[in-house]
């Protein structure tokens, strides 16, 4: 198995090849994902919701993130792994560097943090010290209390222009990937075309360079609610491995997401 790298992800964008990403939190699922063609694994602070049963990602700690990153790395030694810096673990530059180093030492290839232009100095500091960064714009789950809930972002033109400018600033600071969450599909396309780094969408339309879903959503594990941007791949896959394979193949062929999984605007 050839290990995925940032350079290979960049090449995929340049060649118009889609990137398939999923969240994982333990060794067994991580191993299955890589075997079925998933390009990147995110050890997401979404574990607060889907593993710990919490109502948001805010209570997730660095101890949690280090533990689950270590688990995923053991299961997928060759995988490209991104790990979330959890709530308030990057409020100061000192905390950012210390906590990002912990995730890298636990097995991450890249750290992810949520926010716009206020993170420019942090992104510069991390990349200068050899820590690759994935930025995250749009809906920011760690800021749900400020945002007033889980709402589509960037619907107004002024907001869209601001988001594009923030994306450019983060790229200029050294970010090498960008996650776009819950924004209109037209804005997902505009941001993707404005950047040279790959964009990974979750509810950002079909025109981003890749797609990511929370594993529990794409396996239909929450029978009470399936996000608009998600799809139950277990219904059409041959078991869990087949669901991961279907997701990877449909992302790379452009069959997922369909417009019905996107937000208009």
């Amino acid at each position: 198995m050839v290990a995925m790298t940032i350079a290979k992800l960049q090449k995929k964008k340049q060649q118009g090849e889609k990137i398939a990403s999923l969240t994982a939190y333990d060794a067994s699922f991580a191993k299955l994902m890589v075997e079925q063609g998933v390009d990147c694994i995110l050890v997401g602070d979404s574990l607060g919701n889907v593993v710990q049963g919490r109502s948001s990602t805010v209570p997730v700690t660095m101890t949690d993130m280090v533990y689950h990153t270590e688990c995923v790395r053991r299961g997928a030694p060759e995988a490209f792994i991104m790990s979330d810096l959890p709530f308030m673990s990057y409020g100061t530059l000192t905390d950012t560097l210390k906590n990002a180093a912990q995730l890298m030492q636990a097995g991450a290839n890249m750290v992810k943090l949520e926010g716009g232009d206020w993170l420019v100095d942090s992104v510069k500091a991390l990349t200068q010290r050899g820590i690759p960064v994935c930025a995250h714009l749009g809906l920011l789950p760690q800021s749900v209390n400020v945002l007033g809930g889980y709402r589509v972002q960037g619907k107004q033109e002024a907001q869209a222009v601001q988001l594009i400018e923030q994306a450019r600033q983060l790229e200029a600071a050294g970010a090498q990937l960008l996650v776009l969450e819950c924004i209109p599909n037209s804005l997902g396309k505009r941001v993707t075309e404005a950047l040279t780094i790959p964009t990974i969408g979750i509810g950002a339309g079909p025109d981003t360079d890749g797609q990511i879903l929370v594993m529990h959503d794409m396996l239909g594990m929450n029978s009470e609610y399936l996000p608009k941007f998600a799809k139950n791949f277990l219904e059409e896959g041959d078991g869990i491995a087949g669901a991961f394979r279907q997701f990877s193949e449909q992302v790379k062929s452009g069959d997922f997401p369909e417009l019905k999984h996107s937000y208009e605007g």
Side-chain angles (χ1 to χ4, degrees):
M1 183 183 302
V2 179
M4 184 58 64
T5 64
I6 292 172
K8 291 176 182 176
L9 294 173
Q10 182 68 51
K11 189 174 181 180
K12 282 181 175 289
K13 177 183 177 82
Q14 294 167 352
Q15 295 180 341
E17 299 176 8
K18 297 293 187 178
I19 300 164
S21 304
L22 287 171
T23 65
Y25 316 95
D26 67 24
S28 299
F29 282 116
K31 180 176 185 292
L32 268 183
M33 287 176 187
V34 174
E35 290 174 348
Q36 300 306 319
V38 174
D39 296 309
C40 304
I41 292 175
L42 171 65
V43 184
D45 58 1
S46 49
L47 68 89
N49 304 91
V50 298
V51 176
Q52 298 175 339
R54 301 183 186 276
S55 60
S56 77
T57 65
V58 171
V60 176
T61 66
M62 274 302 302
T63 300
D64 295 332
M65 293 307 305
V66 167
Y67 170 77
H68 287 278
T69 299
E70 290 174 340
C71 292
V72 169
R73 176 53 73 198
R74 291 189 199 105
E78 301 299 319
F80 186 87
I81 297 173
M82 301 181 286
S83 293
D84 274 330
L85 280 164
F87 179 71
M88 284 303 294
S89 66
Y90 49 103
T92 68
L93 189 55
T94 299
D95 285 346
T96 302
L97 296 174
K98 178 186 71 174
N99 291 324
Q102 287 189 61
L103 291 180
M104 297 294 287
Q105 290 167 341
N109 299 103
M110 172 179 270
V111 300
K112 183 169 78 64
L113 28 70
E114 300 178 7
D117 46 12
W118 71 274
L119 285 172
V120 165
D121 289 342
S122 295
V123 173
K124 286 181 179 177
L126 287 167
T127 54
Q128 286 171 351
R129 290 161 176 81
I131 299 178
V133 174
C134 176
H136 184 147
L137 292 173
L139 174 62
L140 308 177
Q142 291 178 12
S143 301
V144 64
N145 292 306
V146 173
L147 296 174
Y150 297 95
R151 301 174 179 175
V152 180
Q153 304 295 305
K155 296 174 71 173
Q156 305 299 319
E157 179 61 16
Q159 297 172 336
V161 170
Q162 181 183 35
L163 190 147
I164 293 169
E165 178 56 29
Q166 290 182 336
R168 286 189 172 119
Q169 291 180 31
L170 291 165
E171 178 182 45
Q176 291 171 290
L177 283 178
L178 174 64
V179 167
L180 296 168
E181 181 168 359
C182 288
I183 60 174
N185 52 28
S186 58
L187 180 53
K189 182 177 182 179
R190 290 168 66 184
V191 176
T192 299
E193 292 175 345
L195 302 182
T196 61
I197 61 173
T199 59
I200 310 293
I202 177 167
D207 297 307
T208 53
D209 298 307
Q211 300 292 329
I212 186 166
L213 287 178
V214 172
M215 181 190 76
H216 294 65
D217 288 341
M218 59 82 63
L219 292 178
M221 294 177 69
N222 184 352
S223 59
E224 299 175 357
Y225 173 69
L226 184 68
K228 175 181 173 66
F229 52 76
K231 174 181 176 180
N232 183 352
F233 285 86
L234 192 58
E235 291 181 336
E236 57 189 62
D238 181 18
I240 293 174
F244 293 157
R245 183 172 62 254
Q246 286 290 327
F247 171 78
S248 178
E249 290 176 353
Q250 290 183 31
V251 168
K252 293 175 183 181
S253 68
D255 292 333
F256 178 83
E258 301 175 52
L259 285 179
K260 68 180 181 181
H261 302 116
S262 306
Y263 301 100
E264 296 181 1

